[in-house]
Amino acid sequence: QVQLVESGGGSVQAGGSLRLSCAASGGTFTSYAMGWFRQAAGKERVLVAAMSWSGNSSYYADAVKGRFTISGDNAKNAIYLQMNNLRPEDTTVYFCQARGTRDYWGQGTQVTVSS
């Protein structure tokens, strides 16, 4: 069974940085698209960044372009989200997703940015 586990969240001041990690297990992920979503309380879950293992492609939401970078290490079955110049509006829970024949989700990791 596929399992995704996020880590690296925490509390930082505005302008600071965090690096989120997503460790995947229980399957072969070379055929999966991988992404990071975020969801604040009372809000819908929205895509922040995505990548594919084989297509050498990536996507970033306008709100994070130039500040966040998604990357992956297939040998380690992991993806990462480097988050720089964090803003209070980035405060929310971040989720890792693997998209294949079905979607798999991690449990989420909290990011809090204060001014």
Side-chain angles (χ1 to χ4, degrees), residues 44-55:
E44 64 183 357
R45 189 171 297 184
V46 298
L47 179 64
V48 175
M51 59 167 282
S52 63
W53 294 114
S54 60

Side-chain angles (χ1 to χ4, degrees), residues 16 40 71:
S71 62

Side-chain angles (χ1 to χ4, degrees), residues 35-114:
W36 288 96
F37 288 70
R38 63 187 184 187
Q39 184 175 27
K43 298 287 188 178
E44 64 183 357
R45 189 171 297 184
V46 298
L47 179 64
V48 175
M51 59 167 282
S52 63
W53 294 114
S54 60
N56 193 31
S57 62
S58 62
Y59 164 86
Y60 296 95
D62 287 343
V64 307
K65 284 182 179 177
R67 300 188 297 119
F68 292 8
T69 303
I70 188 171
S71 62
D73 187 335
N74 193 40
K76 296 181 179 180
N77 294 318
I79 64 167
Y80 310 94
L81 186 67
Q82 180 65 45
M83 309 165 67
N84 297 327
N85 193 23
L86 284 161
R87 304 167 180 169
E89 53 263 42
D90 296 319
T91 295
T92 189
V93 179
Y94 286 73
F95 297 87
C96 177
Q97 182 207 52
R99 168 161 283 186
T101 57
R102 57 158 289 182
D103 292 342
Y104 298 91
W105 296 93
Q107 84 287 350
T109 185
Q110 175 72 45
V111 170
T112 302
V113 185
S114 61

